[in-house]
Amino acid sequence: MVSSDRPSNIFSPASHLDFSRAEPVVDVPEGFTGNGRTNDVLWDEYSLIIKGQRIFIHSGEFHTFRLPVPGLWLDILQKVKAAGFNTISVYSHMALINPSPGIIDFNDYRALTPLYEAAKQTGIWIFLRPGPYINAETTAGGIAHWITSEVAGELRTNATDWNAAWQDYVHGIITETAPYQVTQGGPVIGKPALIMFCINLSNDNEYFQEPDTHAEYFRELETFYSSSGIVVPFTANDSGENRAWINGTGAVNIYGMDSYPQGFDCSNPDVWNPVVTNYYSYHEYVDPGQPWYFPEFQGGSFDGWGSTAGYDQCRILIGADFENVFNLNLWASNAKIINYYMLYGGTSWGALSYPGVYTSYDYGSAIAENRELSVKYPELKRQGLFLRSSSDFYKTDWVGDTTTGTVSVSNTAAFVTLLTNPDSMASFYIARQGDSTSKDVTTFKLNVTTSAGHFEVPTLTSGITLAGRQSKIVVTDYSFGSSRVIYSTAQVLFAGRIGGRDVLFLYGDPTSESEVALILSGTPRIQWAGVSVSPNGVTIVTFPLGIPEFITLWDSSEQVILYSDTDTAGTFWSPEISAHDSVEFANYWQFGTNSSILVGGPYLVRNATMTGSTLALRGDLNDSVQLIVIAPDDVTTVTWNGIPISSDVAAASNITSQGGFVAQLNTSSTGHGFAPPALTNWRYADSLPEIRSEFSDANWTVANHTATNMPLPYYGDGGCENIVLWRGHFNALEVTQYVKLSINGGSAFAASVWVNDVFLSTSSGGAETDDKFDFPVGSLLYGQDNVITILQTNLAEKSPRGVRGFMLNTGNFDAWKVQGKVGGYTNYPDKVRGVLNEGGLYGERMGWHLPGFDTSSWALRNLSEGLPNATAGVGFFVTTFDLSIPDGFDVPMSFVFDNTSQPYRCQLYVNGWMMGKRVSNIGPQYKFPVHQGILDYNGTNTVAVALWVMERQAVTPTLQLTIDGVYEGGVGDIKTNNPPWSPEGRPISQEFYESLGEMN
């Protein structure tokens, strides 16, 4: 947990920990490959081998900086683990951690240690991807903005000044991370804290190996890491089939490639691109001796300014059917290290986003921006539990498919790939439509070879059915515990041992038939009417249309066989039972524990622990449900969130005769009464004194740059994040008629222009505008100093920003001044929220957005009234509201603006954090989730809106707080860290502003 009283972890190069040492050399065991620095992480052509265990890396992307509440990281990790994942992939953000030269800041949401500790607690491995360049649709790709201003050499090459610029940041990553490698002991004697096994040096991300300056840059990064105590392997993320970083200078240990087969246009969510069909052949061509690794496979899509889609549409395009077809197509290519980008997207608050996307980075992910489980989550969970159950799948040979003649099907519309484990001979036939975009219903039979002979399956039902965009896995010689499935056209949710019994949970569509052939054992206490035990030892069970949602096929002292429809299977969980704390990797599946249970019903099961005969379940409810538990038979008591539950013995005995519990879980009446407070009693102040004649820009930065380190000749420098103001001084003559301005601010930016206090117009319409602004009669002061004021928003940075060109129709400007965020990137006052939270608006510079700022002298004015006199300009609206939400509830909330198109923009601040940018005339975002930790669930909250009206027009923005859901449970104990207003570092006093006479 990180809070304001966390010990500071800001350090300069002089305080770096020294990890330098000679690079270790180890002998790699025969038959495996390693990096020569450790044998704790090895690999062969199939998969990774960690601590001697073969593992399928099943990972999802999560950017902690997009959830700036460290206490909630555990919430995301528990939801990741509950879906059967064993790994997360994490970018770190250089611009946040290294905001200015010589400053490395791992405090608060920038910290890595709380993430590592949460991962250790949860049993999640981490691929760390520190960049420095990460892309991730973030400003400058994550590179610190001071570098883009100060480093003259080409970035992301072996340029000497770029090399010097990244070293502090990388050394900081090493300092935080080296103790958490899988090879290192933990901070407590006898109890390891080993969660890191791979620093994913997408050494920089999605980068080409040529020219040589790129390759040398990778080599420098790898040398720096390996000479500073990092011994785990290096990997890379190739942005396509470019064969980069496999051989030659800068080559990494394990090659990886990303793939986004649906692209990023969600406007037609029913229109699919077909699956990629050459994954396997490409891998065999370029890197057959290593496991097939996808550092990024499409888990959603970003969405851009002005989109007509929105993330709900992305969640359809990259929905559950996409996950089913495209993920399994990836598995069919024999990939064994897979990371889905994103599993939780989060929020690009402040100036985090790159120009092409808006505040929300929901990404249409399985876990939504507000942390709710989306409609995509159950399919990923079904896949995850199958993978966790199927250790034979971790080592498979690609045998062939229906195009090679290796696999025979009765209907050529079906496409099937065969993977076989060379040791156990377990086989996995992965089926899809030959035309992966097809919505047709395809039924076929499949010829399989098993230990019991050759079969055309199914043998009794009509066939295997693909209901449109669907994939299925037909398993043969498949193990569950010590038992074996000969074949199954039903899908596997869970296979393993619970207590002393072998347990198999199958599922299928209620609209199609399925079939399983298996060897049953033990004397049945429960036997479904459809089960007729065969005297030859192999029993075939068919599942016709319309069977009940959940049934027990077989229950004996040796086996439990369960079946449900697909949707019901998605409501089941299989939490792992951690080993004793004294066991190394106690919370990690395969390593510290191989024990789990089955739990059906709740919205979320976070974890399960066993103490003696008591099974303690922790999780969340959003409704009253029937709880079903299948546990070891020595369990006599079950608790839910610490409260003992009373089992319905009769109902439990219909499911299993031992270790079964059935109970009703009811939500508390407390949660039914939550209602969001109304946002009223707004206070208002003008926030554009810069257009007044009394205003002095004497302390602003002189904008005299006629060159830049950026690749184009842009001018000006002044802390480019968020809103920047420019003031150009000139002496007007009677023949002075207009000014031409070229302004660059990124996609969907805008710039409003005044001459003196007269509004001219707003320039917008792309990444850069070139417009002429005519001076109205009476707006100029002839023979005197006149001022052009430009209010410009910079929607992040991936290219130069600012006023690129300016020209009067006659005469010249005497001087230009520029003002960005107070303090720039060296002396910004808000060290907690960080360098990207504020911009250059007057109200921001004064700290009006911060809790505790005294607005009692401001005018009362409703936000819906807009600015006074229907003028163009900027005003600040501030109000407060109280929340009182009891412990034990997770209540996601959002701030919702009007969904209209009007000429205004808003910046939304909640307790000082810039949590949203609303662009009414472009859209699409108007709803902004804000989490507990930013919101004080039990206290007073401050909300501020900076309203920028871009035309002489009345606007009527509205804002309300809404409750997205009520969940009884949560992770609890979420700390807030919202520093209040302080005059320290703020440039001018409140009294000065009041003297302008513009407070009201």
Side-chain angles (χ1 to χ4, degrees):
M1 203 70 65
V2 177
S3 63
S4 56
D5 58 0
R6 182 179 185 267
S8 176
N9 197 12
I10 299 178
F11 55 87
S12 63
S15 65
H16 285 169
L17 298 181
D18 183 10
F19 284 104
S20 62
R21 58 179 180 177
E23 184 173 331
V25 178
V26 297
D27 294 325
V28 177
E30 185 176 355
F32 299 101
T33 304
N35 62 6
R37 298 192 299 274
T38 178
N39 282 340
D40 285 335
V41 185
L42 301 172
W43 58 92
D44 58 15
E45 68 269 32
Y46 297 108
S47 70
L48 287 180
I49 314 292
I50 299 176
K51 291 282 188 177
Q53 292 279 339
R54 185 176 297 280
I55 186 172
F56 186 113
I57 296 297
H58 190 216
S59 174
E61 190 82 11
F62 167 39
H63 302 157
T64 54
F65 56 82
R66 285 187 160 116
L67 179 60
V69 182
L72 289 174
W73 299 347
L74 180 63
D75 175 66
I76 300 301
L77 265 60
Q78 288 180 342
K79 289 168 179 172
V80 169
K81 184 67 174 285
F85 288 84
N86 57 16
T87 306
I88 58 170
S89 173
V90 178
Y91 278 135
S92 56
H93 200 290
M94 183 193 201
L96 297 170
I97 293 170
N98 183 196
S100 55
I103 299 300
I104 303 297
D105 183 359
F106 285 103
N107 285 305
D108 309 299
Y109 65 88
R110 295 164 290 269
L112 291 176
T113 297
L115 173 67
Y116 297 163
E117 291 294 332
K120 181 178 67 173
Q121 176 183 338
T122 311
I124 289 287
W125 304 103
I126 294 179
F127 270 66
L128 182 65
R129 306 205 288 166
Y133 178 86
I134 62 175
N135 189 353
E137 287 74 55
T138 190
T139 179
I143 292 176
H145 287 187
W146 66 268
I147 290 176
T148 66
S149 298
E150 296 187 15
V151 172
E154 184 179 352
L155 307 187
R156 306 171 69 196
T157 70
N158 63 341
T160 303
D161 52 355
W162 165 241
N163 178 287
W166 57 251
Q167 291 206 13
D168 287 347
Y169 166 71
V170 172
H171 214 311
I173 295 293
I174 294 168
T175 301
E176 295 291 298
T177 302
Y180 286 92
Q181 296 176 96
V182 73
T183 58
Q184 300 295 314
V188 180
I189 294 174
K191 181 180 178 183
L194 314 173
I195 68 168
M196 298 299 301
F197 77 86
C198 193
I199 293 203
N200 182 338
L201 281 181
S202 299
N203 281 345
D204 254 46
N205 185 39
E206 302 167 332
Y207 204 39
F208 292 106
Q209 197 167 1
E210 296 176 349
D212 291 344
T213 54
H214 293 191
E216 287 296 334
Y217 166 46
F218 261 50
R219 184 190 61 77
E220 290 173 352
L221 275 171
E222 292 163 3
T223 300
F224 195 90
Y225 275 109
S226 60
S227 65
S228 301
I230 297 298
V231 300
V232 293
F234 301 141
T235 72
N237 179 26
D238 194 356
S239 61
E241 296 181 2
N242 304 308
R243 293 177 285 176
W245 312 111
I246 299 173
N247 302 296
T249 302
V252 295
N253 301 123
I254 299 175
Y255 168 80
M257 182 188 83
D258 72 15
S259 181
Y260 292 84
Q262 284 305 331
F264 306 100
D265 182 358
C266 302
S267 59
N268 295 294
D270 195 47
V271 178
W272 273 18
N273 296 324
V275 298
V276 178
T277 58
N278 74 327
Y279 286 145
Y280 173 75
S281 60
Y282 172 74
H283 174 63
E284 287 300 294
Y285 177 69
V286 302
D287 203 24
Q290 295 186 346
W292 194 197
Y293 171 36
F294 281 83
E296 296 180 22
F297 187 75
Q298 187 158 22
S301 173
F302 60 77
D303 195 46
W305 291 105
S307 164
T308 59
Y311 284 117
D312 287 343
Q313 296 283 76
C314 295
R315 200 167 274 112
I316 296 172
L317 177 67
I318 319 295
D321 50 356
F322 171 92
E323 293 171 330
N324 181 243
V325 173
F326 282 76
N327 292 5
L328 269 59
N329 182 65
L330 198 63
W331 299 5
S333 75
N334 223 12
K336 304 300 185 191
I337 310 175
I338 299 173
N339 177 60
Y340 298 113
Y341 188 106
M342 303 284 303
L343 188 53
Y344 172 74
T347 305
S348 292
W349 56 276
L352 272 177
S353 68
Y354 98 122
V357 298
Y358 44 88
T359 301
S360 176
Y361 201 68
D362 178 277
Y363 218 79
S365 300
I367 305 174
E369 181 182 7
N370 63 2
R371 298 178 294 108
E372 290 185 298
L373 305 181
S374 80
V375 293
K376 296 173 56 172
Y377 185 90
E379 173 60 22
L380 282 186
K381 181 174 57 170
R382 288 187 289 262
Q383 294 178 16
L385 295 183
F386 168 80
L387 287 174
R388 199 192 69 183
S389 298
S390 306
S391 57
D392 280 343
F393 194 68
Y394 305 171
K395 179 183 180 181
T396 57
D397 290 319
W398 188 91
V399 179
D401 57 39
T402 46
T403 65
T404 66
T406 310
V407 181
S408 176
V409 294
S410 64
N411 184 344
T412 56
F415 181 91
V416 182
T417 301
L418 171 59
L419 305 177
T420 297
N421 184 295
D423 302 326
S424 70
M425 299 309 294
S427 290
F428 305 86
Y429 295 82
I430 302 177
R432 61 169 171 83
Q433 302 273 11
D435 174 5
S436 58
T437 69
S438 173
K439 296 181 181 180
D440 294 340
V441 175
T442 296
T443 301
F444 66 98
K445 290 197 172 188
L446 169 70
N447 290 308
V448 301
T449 299
T450 75
S451 58
H454 302 282
F455 301 94
E456 184 182 53
V457 299
T459 60
L460 300 179
T461 59
S462 60
I464 303 165
T465 298
L466 299 174
R469 292 170 170 176
Q470 186 178 36
S471 284
K472 289 185 176 179
I473 301 177
V474 176
V475 298
T476 64
D477 289 319
Y478 180 83
S479 296
F480 62 105
S482 58
S483 300
R484 183 170 291 267
V485 173
I486 302 303
Y487 69 81
S488 177
T489 68
Q491 303 303 285
V492 176
L493 178 72
F494 175 91
R497 289 182 67 81
I498 296 178
R501 298 192 293 172
D502 298 340
V503 179
L504 178 67
F505 192 149
L506 302 172
Y507 66 93
D509 298 331
T511 56
S512 61
E513 300 171 305
S514 53
E515 181 176 294
V516 61
L518 73 172
I519 301 170
L520 299 173
S521 64
T523 302
R525 280 83 63 96
I526 300 174
Q527 181 175 340
W528 184 52
V531 176
S532 179
V533 179
S534 173
N536 67 7
V538 177
T539 298
I540 298 176
V541 182
T542 63
F543 306 105
L545 306 180
I547 65 173
E549 293 179 353
F550 177 74
I551 58 174
T552 301
L553 302 180
W554 184 263
D555 179 74
S556 73
S557 61
E558 298 176 19
Q559 293 176 323
V560 181
I561 317 293
L562 308 168
Y563 182 87
S564 81
D565 65 83
T566 302
D567 288 344
T568 300
T571 68
F572 271 79
W573 310 85
S574 182
E576 300 161 14
I577 308 297
S578 297
H580 189 273
D581 286 351
S582 62
V583 176
E584 188 177 53
F585 299 107
N587 301 316
Y588 287 80
W589 185 255
Q590 294 184 244
F591 298 87
T593 180
N594 286 304
S595 299
S596 65
I597 60 173
L598 283 167
V599 182
Y603 169 80
L604 172 66
V605 177
R606 293 181 179 273
N607 52 53
T609 56
M610 284 191 61
T611 305
S613 61
T614 298
L615 171 65
L617 302 174
R618 302 202 71 85
D620 297 7
L621 295 177
N622 65 343
D623 202 353
S624 297
V625 295
Q626 184 186 60
L627 175 73
I628 298 174
V629 178
I630 297 175
D633 56 10
D634 56 353
V635 172
T636 60
T637 302
V638 177
T639 65
W640 175 259
N641 291 341
I643 300 173
I645 60 175
S646 177
S647 180
D648 183 334
V649 176
S653 64
N654 289 328
I655 295 174
T656 181
S657 57
Q658 59 190 82
F661 289 80
V662 175
Q664 184 69 19
L665 292 180
N666 295 313
T667 54
S668 167
S669 59
T670 303
H672 300 158
F674 293 148
L679 302 179
T680 59
N681 298 315
W682 291 94
R683 295 282 181 167
Y684 165 80
D686 176 72
S687 186
L688 195 63
E690 291 88 351
I691 65 172
R692 306 304 179 191
S693 60
E694 307 95 322
F695 187 84
S696 171
D697 58 26
N699 293 324
W700 287 21
T701 300
V702 176
N704 59 359
H705 289 192
T706 58
T708 176
N709 291 324
M710 289 293 192
L712 295 171
Y714 286 62
Y715 306 98
D717 191 7
C720 68
E721 301 88 25
N722 300 308
I723 286 176
V724 175
L725 288 106
W726 306 82
R727 300 185 92 228
H729 295 260
F730 66 97
N731 190 295
L733 305 174
E734 291 187 9
V735 292
T736 305
Q737 298 176 344
Y738 61 83
V739 62
K740 290 183 177 180
L741 298 171
S742 296
I743 307 171
N744 186 294
S747 300
F749 95 105
S752 292
V753 181
W754 286 260
V755 61
N756 301 318
D757 62 355
V758 177
F759 176 68
L760 300 181
S761 184
T762 294
S763 182
S764 62
E768 179 174 314
T769 58
D770 297 277
D771 288 330
K772 174 186 172 186
F773 298 86
D774 294 314
F775 299 137
V777 174
S779 62
L780 299 180
L781 303 172
Y782 299 131
Q784 302 179 46
D785 181 47
N786 292 260
V787 179
I788 294 290
T789 300
I790 304 171
L791 175 70
Q792 174 197 351
T793 182
N794 287 315
L795 293 173
E797 178 181 353
K798 271 202 170 179
S799 61
R801 297 286 179 259
V803 180
R804 181 170 175 250
F806 46 87
M807 184 180 69
L808 296 165
N809 71 298
T810 184
N812 297 308
F813 282 91
D814 300 319
W816 278 91
K817 296 288 192 75
V818 61
Q819 176 66 58
K821 63 177 172 289
V822 65
Y825 53 70
T826 56
N827 295 308
Y828 59 95
D830 193 341
K831 295 299 191 287
V832 169
R833 298 176 184 89
V835 70
L836 299 182
N837 188 62
E838 296 179 9
L841 284 176
Y842 186 85
E844 292 178 295
R845 299 184 337 249
M846 296 295 99
W848 293 354
H849 58 294
L850 296 171
F853 184 86
D854 183 9
T855 62
S856 60
S857 63
W858 290 17
L860 283 168
R861 185 178 182 85
N862 288 331
L863 177 63
S864 60
E865 296 179 83
L867 300 187
N869 304 317
T871 188
V874 181
F876 251 74
F877 294 79
V878 179
T879 191
T880 61
F881 61 92
D882 293 333
L883 291 175
S884 180
I885 297 176
D887 292 340
F889 286 90
D890 186 2
V891 185
M893 299 185 191
S894 295
F895 289 84
V896 182
F897 286 92
D898 55 287
N899 185 15
T900 62
S901 178
Q902 302 182 64
Y904 77 78
R905 294 175 178 237
C906 284
Q907 293 183 169
L908 171 69
Y909 311 84
V910 181
N911 290 326
W913 299 80
M914 189 196 293
M915 296 306 298
K917 294 180 179 179
R918 165 72 174 140
V919 182
S920 178
N921 64 326
I922 295 178
Q925 187 176 8
Y926 61 92
K927 182 177 182 179
F928 298 86
V930 178
H931 302 281
Q932 183 184 9
I934 302 297
L935 283 171
D936 187 343
Y937 269 26
N938 288 280
T940 299
N941 296 268
T942 299
V943 58
V945 174
L947 173 62
W948 172 5
V949 181
M950 297 181 291
E951 302 294 342
R952 296 188 193 91
Q953 179 178 326
V955 297
T956 56
T958 61
L959 182 66
Q960 59 181 327
L961 180 63
T962 63
I963 290 177
D964 299 334
V966 176
Y967 301 94
E968 192 170 330
V971 292
D973 195 28
I974 304 302
K975 308 295 186 186
T976 60
N977 189 11
N978 303 323
W981 179 83
S982 166
E984 184 177 353
R986 302 291 168 184
I988 350 178
S989 68
Q990 181 71 3
E991 289 75 16
F992 173 83
Y993 183 79
E994 290 175 342
S995 72
L996 296 178
E998 295 295 331
M999 182 62 71
N1000 295 334

